[in-house]
Amino acid sequence: MEIVFSAHGHSCDLALHPVSAKTARTIEKYGSEVYSMRALEWWRKGKTATWGMRIDDMCNIQVSVDGKPVEFDYNRIIADPLKIRRRMYLDSRAKYLCVLGFDNEICKFSWKWSDVSEYDPSKFEFMVHQWDRIMGEEGYYILDEIRYGNEFATSHDWCDASGFTLVAPRIIDLDEVRRELAQGGPEHIGPAFPSPQHTTPSPKSPE
């Protein structure tokens, strides 16, 4: 038996980078211009990126068994989002995070499992990130990976990609987030995580 899970919609290539106060001020000053600055070309490197498929109104999900479509409960995908990556930064000494990348590339991604003995939709495990407060948008889910019966897919197919625009960089003040969450603030649902308020000292009054 062959099982194929396909998602057609917006793909994401987003990164959360710890940055210094100086870099945070630079990003806030120049905005999207930072993508062309040599010092910030690292946004696509390292292990900080989240690459996957947005689960939104544009995403079309189809599951097939031996080439025939079967019914699937869409809500199961977003039922249990991961928190690991964000907690990594909250539990660190980092003071600021920067959100960089894109989230609107139209494409299709398929996971295929071969030689499966039976189809049972409850055996799907979805690795999904919920970034509502990171991106400032309600219901912001990113499908990162899928397992079926504790097994990763036999093969993947990423295709039909077409164009994207980069998101405006956003700085998150982690100390403010830590204080808010320590007071019982919501981690998933709510307004965007706070950005730092860099103020310019007022000029001295003439004596």
Side-chain angles (χ1 to χ4, degrees):
M1 181 181 295
E2 179 182 270
I3 298 173
V4 177
F5 186 104
S6 297
H8 191 184
H10 292 129
S11 69
C12 301
D13 188 349
L14 294 167
L16 291 175
H17 284 290
V19 295
S20 66
K22 180 180 179 181
T23 301
R25 287 192 292 270
T26 298
I27 292 169
E28 289 189 321
K29 178 179 179 180
Y30 292 101
S32 294
E33 292 180 33
V34 299
Y35 286 110
S36 61
M37 295 180 180
R38 182 173 298 178
L40 294 175
E41 287 181 350
W42 39 255
W43 76 269
R44 301 189 76 169
K45 301 178 182 178
K47 299 180 180 179
T48 62
T50 291
W51 185 45
M53 181 70 70
R54 278 200 65 182
I55 304 300
D56 58 11
D57 292 340
M58 286 289 294
C59 186
N60 180 267
I61 301 294
Q62 184 178 70
V63 181
S64 65
V65 177
D66 290 337
K68 296 180 180 180
V70 295
E71 291 187 3
F72 181 79
D73 182 2
Y74 184 92
N75 292 319
R76 290 198 62 249
I77 302 173
I78 59 176
D80 189 22
L82 298 172
K83 299 180 182 179
I84 296 173
R85 187 161 295 162
R86 282 183 305 172
R87 297 308 315 186
M88 175 177 70
Y89 294 118
L90 290 173
D91 296 338
S92 73
R93 295 183 179 181
K95 293 189 177 296
Y96 302 107
L97 279 184
C98 181
V99 185
L100 297 161
F102 64 83
D103 63 356
N104 62 352
E105 181 181 49
I106 298 296
C107 67
K108 181 179 180 180
F109 197 81
S110 296
W111 291 260
K112 181 190 296 183
W113 292 265
S114 303
D115 299 322
V116 179
S117 60
E118 64 172 347
Y119 173 66
D120 179 352
S122 68
K123 290 187 176 182
F124 280 116
E125 299 174 70
F126 301 98
M127 283 152 264
V128 174
H129 303 274
Q130 185 174 3
W131 280 25
D132 291 37
R133 303 199 65 196
I134 293 173
M135 301 302 290
E137 183 178 331
E138 185 178 353
Y140 199 103
Y141 296 96
I142 304 171
L143 176 58
D144 192 334
E145 183 60 275
I146 307 176
R147 292 190 299 185
Y148 180 83
N150 294 320
E151 298 291 336
F152 288 103
T154 309
S155 62
H156 303 81
D157 182 22
W158 189 272
C159 61
D160 300 332
S162 61
F164 61 83
T165 53
L166 295 164
V167 301
R170 206 173 153 261
I171 299 295
I172 296 173
D173 187 329
L174 285 175
D175 284 342
E176 288 297 324
V177 173
R178 292 182 184 108
R179 279 192 284 271
E180 182 184 309
L181 296 182
Q183 295 170 0
E187 184 169 348
H188 281 318
I189 301 172
F193 281 134
S195 295
Q197 300 297 319
H198 295 297
T199 57
T200 303
S202 302
K204 293 183 179 180
S205 301
E207 297 180 359

